[in-house]
Amino acid sequence: MSRPAKAKRKPSIADVAAAVGVSKTTISRYLHGEYDYMSADTRARIEAVVKELGYRPNKMAQGLKATNSRMIGVTIANISNPFSSQLLKGMQSVCRARGIQLLVSDADDDPALERAAIESLMDSQVDGLIINTVGGNDEFLTTFASTAGNPPIVMLDRMISPIVCDCIVTDNAGAVDMMLDHVRERGFTYAVFVTQPIAGITTRQTRAEAVRTYLATHDLAGEVLEYADSPRDDMDYGGVTGGGAVSGGGAADSSTAGHGRTVDNDSATHGSTIGHCGTVDDGSTVDDTIGDNGTVEHGTVDDGNGVGLAARLTSILDAHVGERICIFANNEDAMCDVFAVLAEPSEPYANGSDHDVHDDTDHDNDHDRAAGDDHDFSVGTGTVNGMGTTVGLCAFATERWARYSGPGITCLDQNPVLMGRTAASRLIARIYDGDSSPAERLEIPARLRVFGSTQNR
C-alpha cells in the first residue's frame, strides 16, 4: 500500500524573511504594523512576498510572543438594532485597513452581560475596547478606564461622566432642536417624545431633557412619554384584534387596527403604511407634560402593572382630537413600538406607482434628502380615530431604515458608520500610534432627513 502524500507545509515567518532578505524581527514588526524604522521599499517587498507565499500568521502564537495582539474588543448594547450594525460597519472599515481583528460581543441590554463580556474580551488579550454601553455600569467602566495597566477604552454613542476616556456621541441636544424646529415649521401643534426607560442611559437623558427645554421655550406643546421596553420577540404578529377600519380613499379597505381605533388616511396620503409590530401594553411609564405656558407637570412612574404604551398613547390622542400631533421616537425600536400602537399596515403606493408620488417637501432644503436621490416618497401623515387627529411620525433612525418604512419616516440620521469609524480611529491612535492627549468627548452632528411622515397639510 502506498503511503499518503504529506500535506504541503504552510509557509512560516522564516520563509518570508528568507525570501525578502530581512530578519524575522523585521517581518514581525511589519505584521504588527510597526513601520517607524522600515522603508517604504521594504514594506512593499514584504507585502509582495506574503501574498506570493500565501503566508498567514498564527494569531495565537502572535498573541503569546508580541506585546500587542492586534485585536480590539467591542461590546454592543443590542446587536439587533439596525443602528448597531452600522456602528460595526464603520469600525470594521478602519480596523481592516490596519490589519486589526474585531472581537464583538452582544450585551443584549443587560449590564451583567456587558461586564461579563468585557472580562471575557480581556481574557482574549485584546489591546483595547470600544463599548456601546447598555447603561447601569458607569462605576464599573469609570474604574476600569482609570485603572493603570488596563487597555484603553472608547465609549460609543453613550458616555460616562466624568470624562475618563474618549466618548464618541451624537450632538443629541442639537439634533432634538433641529427636529422640533422642523415639526413646528410643518404645522404640528403637539409633540410626544416616546422613549424606553431613561435612567442610567446618557443618550436618552440628554434627548429627553432637550425636548423638555425646547417645549418650555418655544410655541409648541407636548410631553415626554417614557415606557418600559416591550418584548416584541414574544408577540403574536399574525392576528390583529379590534374593530377599527382603516380607509384611504380606496387604498385599503376593512383592515383592522390592533387597538380598535379607526385610522382615516385621506386621499393625500395614498394609502400610507403604518407598520404593525404587535400589541404593546406591557410597561411602566413616566410622563412629563409641558403645556402652552411652559410649565412642566411631572408624572409618576407606574409599577409595571398599570398603564403601558398603548393605553397612554391612545389617551394622548383622545385628549388632542382635531390637533396636529407628531410622535417623535427615540430610536428604531421605539418607532416600531409606536407602529404597533397606531395601526396595521395598509397597502403602500396603492395608486400603482412605486416611486412617483410626490409631497410638498422642499427638496432644495439642505436638511432634506441626499442629493441624487431617485426615490420620492410622499405618503404623509394620516388621521387617527376618524375624528381628525392628524398624526405625524419622526425618529432618531438611520436613513436606510427610515426611507423604506411605509411613506418614509422623517429621521435624524446619526451617521453611525462615521461614529464607528471615529471610535475605532481614536482607539487605534491610543493603542498603536502613541496618542496620549487628554480624553475628550467628540460630538458627531446628526442629519435631518425629511420624508412623507411629516408632510404639510
Side-chain angles (χ1 to χ4, degrees):
M1 176 185 288
S2 61
R3 304 177 70 180
K6 290 184 179 180
K8 184 178 179 181
R9 183 177 68 86
K10 293 181 180 179
S12 67
I13 191 171
D15 296 327
V16 177
V20 178
V22 297
S23 69
K24 289 191 293 184
T25 301
T26 299
I27 301 299
S28 179
R29 285 174 178 164
Y30 169 85
L31 295 172
H32 287 90
E34 298 169 4
Y35 307 135
D36 293 348
Y37 303 103
M38 192 180 302
S39 69
D41 177 65
T42 299
R43 286 174 61 183
R45 286 189 292 120
I46 294 173
E47 181 180 6
V49 170
V50 165
K51 289 181 179 178
E52 180 184 347
L53 296 181
Y55 173 71
R56 297 187 65 183
N58 184 319
K59 293 293 184 184
M60 295 214 31
Q62 278 190 315
L64 292 172
K65 295 177 182 178
T67 304
N68 296 318
S69 67
R70 305 297 291 178
M71 294 188 297
I72 287 175
V74 181
T75 67
I76 294 293
N78 189 331
I79 207 163
S80 66
N81 192 313
F83 179 77
S84 301
S85 64
Q86 296 297 297
L87 291 177
L88 289 170
K89 184 178 179 68
M91 292 180 233
Q92 186 66 270
S93 67
V94 173
C95 290
R96 187 177 287 120
R98 291 289 297 264
I100 297 166
Q101 183 179 357
L102 277 184
L103 301 184
V104 181
S105 182
D106 177 20
D108 200 23
D109 288 325
D110 185 332
L113 285 179
E114 179 175 273
R115 292 191 298 272
I118 290 171
E119 291 166 359
S120 177
L121 289 167
M122 289 289 291
D123 290 342
S124 299
Q125 303 296 312
V126 295
D127 296 333
L129 293 164
I130 298 174
I131 299 174
N132 169 231
T133 182
V134 305
N137 276 333
D138 285 18
E139 183 177 352
F140 172 82
L141 293 171
T142 300
T143 300
F144 184 95
S146 305
T147 300
N150 280 344
I153 69 173
V154 170
M155 301 297 297
L156 180 55
D157 185 46
R158 300 166 180 176
M159 57 180 289
I160 53 176
S161 184
I163 304 294
V164 292
C165 61
D166 292 323
C167 299
I168 314 301
V169 296
T170 300
D171 177 10
N172 286 295
V176 165
D177 286 353
M178 184 162 54
M179 180 62 85
L180 293 180
D181 279 345
H182 168 75
V183 167
R184 286 176 64 230
E185 289 166 2
R186 288 301 172 96
F188 292 96
T189 57
Y190 201 86
V192 183
F193 182 68
V194 177
T195 179
Q196 302 94 333
I198 294 172
I201 300 180
T202 56
T203 302
R204 297 175 189 174
Q205 292 168 346
T206 302
R207 292 174 185 175
E209 187 55 37
V211 169
R212 294 185 183 108
T213 299
Y214 188 98
L215 296 176
T217 55
H218 292 77
D219 183 23
L220 179 67
E223 61 190 277
V224 172
L225 195 167
E226 181 181 354
Y227 71 102
D229 287 300
S230 98
R232 282 187 307 280
D233 291 344
D234 299 329
M235 291 179 177
D236 178 6
Y237 288 75
V240 186
T241 59
V246 180
S247 62
D253 297 312
S254 302
S255 299
T256 56
H259 45 78
R261 301 172 64 80
T262 301
V263 180
D264 177 15
N265 297 316
D266 65 22
S267 57
T269 69
H270 302 288
S272 69
T273 299
I274 303 179
H276 180 77
C277 302
T279 305
V280 180
D281 189 4
D282 67 330
S284 54
T285 60
V286 178
D287 301 306
D288 293 340
T289 303
I290 301 182
D292 293 329
N293 59 1
T295 7
V296 182
E297 301 169 5
H298 295 288
T300 57
V301 182
D302 234 23
D303 63 2
N305 298 315
V307 180
L309 177 62
R312 186 67 188 95
L313 198 52
T314 300
S315 175
I316 292 170
L317 296 175
D318 285 339
H320 295 277
V321 169
E323 299 181 42
R324 296 202 68 210
I325 297 177
C326 190
I327 299 172
F328 181 5
N330 174 67
N331 54 25
E332 287 102 332
D333 285 345
M335 188 77 262
C336 193
D337 288 343
V338 169
F339 284 161
V341 173
L342 290 182
E344 181 186 22
S346 58
E347 290 298 324
Y349 315 117
N351 62 350
S353 171
D354 288 335
H355 302 301
D356 60 354
V357 188
H358 295 275
D359 68 6
D360 58 355
T361 302
D362 176 8
H363 301 301
D364 293 328
N365 187 324
D366 289 340
H367 296 305
D368 281 355
R369 310 160 192 269
D373 178 14
D374 293 327
H375 307 291
D376 281 342
F377 291 95
S378 65
V379 188
T381 57
T383 58
V384 176
N385 73 12
M387 299 178 65
T389 305
T390 305
V391 178
L393 304 172
C394 58
F396 276 91
T398 56
E399 182 180 359
R400 291 184 64 184
W401 178 90
R403 177 188 295 273
Y404 300 112
S405 298
I409 304 299
T410 292
C411 67
L412 288 162
D413 189 330
Q414 299 172 252
N415 202 346
V417 172
L418 175 59
M419 293 180 71
R421 290 201 333 247
T422 304
S425 296
R426 292 296 294 174
L427 186 60
I428 287 171
R430 298 285 188 193
I431 299 169
Y432 308 113
D433 301 336
D435 185 349
S436 58
S437 59
E440 61 181 332
R441 166 178 167 167
L442 297 176
E443 291 189 334
I444 308 296
R447 303 171 297 187
L448 177 63
R449 296 295 187 236
V450 177
F451 296 106
S453 67
T454 57
Q455 74 172 24
N456 284 332
R457 304 293 286 175

